[in-house]
Amino acid sequence: MTASIVDLEEAVTSLPADARAAADRILAISTTTGRLKPPPQMHEWIQKFFGSVDAVREQRIVRVDNRITFEGALFNELRAFRPIEVKGGDEVRATIASSLNDPFCRPETGTPADIFGRVEGAHGITASNIAKYDGFHGVLVFKEHDPLAPQDAAAIRDHLMTARGWAERALEADPAARYYFLLWNCLWRAGGSIVHGHMQMTVTRGTHYPRIELLRRQALAYDARYGSDYFEDLWLVHNALGLGTESGGVRSIASIVPVKEREILILGRPGADESSLAPAIAKAVAAYRAAGVVSDNRALCGPPLSPDGEDWRRVAPLARLVDRGDPGNRTSDIGAMELYAASVIAADPFRLAEALRA
Ligand SMILES: [Zn+2]
């Protein structure tokens, strides 16, 4: 089995026939070498940051495109070999501690309620978001202030069920608002404006949000063209490469076309409730913590809360998680490449897969 993302092209070539065929349908992989000539005056600096001058003279770059979704990633072995070091760890802990006793620590008086009231679980209670993304936009305020406090599968399941309870109350209030989306921006680096642990929920009308509707249509088109299920094939390829892990029918993959560092996709069983993803989400978060990740985005989507007349059979509950990097780093992890071209990735999905299986 391949040890590094820079050998992906060769690894795919040696896959079993069915996985190879699925890879050919979904992926376009190409490898190139970037070259440069460093002046002698730079050698010492290069050695310090990259280990050796030869390491930067020739750099192997792997480009992976998903031909179905048009997501794309560029991996550079030089970036992948850089040591992981979260410099902002102490600052993060100090900031979390200093923000204790914020309004989310007393949600009944510190946050607004929705027009249908609040939904309460064992580990959290809902509030109405004060500046809304959409007609219904709620917050699931955790009873625990510290967003980095460990959460086991039971706590995550409780959060997912409380959030779903909120969505169902919103649907009762507006039967057209049937498209439910759950998100978590953990810490400022990931877009979170409040430190206290919380998720956010929206329900929307008309169609699901465009990226989710696009994924549904792409999966339908894939089935129509190839007579094969897109998500099954995505799993087949990742699992054959050693990038998948499965438990109770729920599949986790370390994506080879990640939106940014260490993206994990968690695919539920078609027709299953998203709370079935809780153990896999708990494992994914544990793998993140082991890798020093403290700031991440998580999102969850699935079929609508009530039938909309469209074909959702190809879409099972889907959770996505992505590492947003060091909160102590002032340089954003995304730039024009990620917004308008393809994602530039340092972390090797093969290392992430090892952590997911641990
Ligand atoms: Zn708090």
Side-chain angles (χ1 to χ4, degrees), residues 134-326:
D134 211 324
F136 285 94
H137 180 187
V139 183
L140 173 56
V141 180
F142 299 169
K143 295 193 175 173
E144 166 67 54
H145 172 82
D146 182 354
L148 302 181
Q151 289 184 343
D152 61 10
I156 291 171
R157 180 177 288 114
D158 178 74
H159 287 324
L160 297 180
M161 291 176 74
T162 308
R164 155 83 45 167
W166 175 94
E168 284 170 354
R169 296 285 290 277
L171 181 71
E172 279 170 27
D174 179 0
R178 57 168 64 88
Y179 302 98
Y180 166 47
F181 186 64
L182 176 68
L183 67 143
W184 181 350
N185 302 330
C186 185
L187 297 177
W188 54 93
R189 180 90 183 164
S193 55
I194 288 165
V195 167
H196 186 117
H198 67 285
M199 294 175 172
Q200 300 180 63
M201 304 79 72
T202 66
V203 288
T204 196
R205 306 163 63 140
T207 63
H208 214 316
Y209 292 120
R211 289 193 183 166
I212 299 163
E213 176 63 7
L214 181 65
L215 187 61
R216 181 184 76 84
R217 291 195 199 184
Q218 286 160 335
L220 282 175
Y222 186 86
D223 180 54
R225 181 167 179 190
Y226 299 114
S228 193
D229 184 88
Y230 169 69
F231 294 103
E232 276 294 324
D233 281 358
L234 192 69
W235 162 256
L236 184 65
V237 173
H238 281 86
N239 192 43
L241 286 167
L243 294 167
T245 166
E246 185 171 13
S247 179
V250 175
R251 295 159 164 179
S252 300
I253 64 176
S255 177
I256 45 173
V257 198
V259 66
K260 201 53 200 176
E261 306 301 335
R262 296 185 180 80
E263 190 180 26
I264 298 170
L265 270 60
I266 301 173
L267 307 160
R269 294 182 305 277
D273 187 280
E274 73 269 9
S275 67
S276 61
L277 306 185
I281 295 172
K283 282 195 82 171
V285 175
Y288 272 7
R289 295 292 177 266
V293 177
V294 293
S295 184
D296 58 273
N297 291 113
R298 303 175 206 176
L300 190 146
C301 65
L305 300 165
S306 64
D308 64 350
E310 300 293 339
D311 184 354
W312 285 89
R313 284 173 299 170
R314 302 277 156 214
V315 182
L318 168 65
R320 301 178 76 153
L321 298 86
V322 64
D323 164 19
R324 295 303 305 278
D326 183 351

Side-chain angles (χ1 to χ4, degrees), residues 114-139:
D114 278 291
I115 52 168
F116 49 76
R118 297 181 193 267
V119 181
E120 187 164 11
H123 295 275
I125 186 167
T126 66
S128 190
N129 202 304
I130 203 148
K132 298 186 181 306
Y133 297 159
D134 211 324
F136 285 94
H137 180 187
V139 183

Side-chain angles (χ1 to χ4, degrees), residues 99-102 104-105 145 196:
S99 62
L100 199 64
N101 299 318
D102 57 2
F104 278 20
C105 283
H145 172 82
H196 186 117

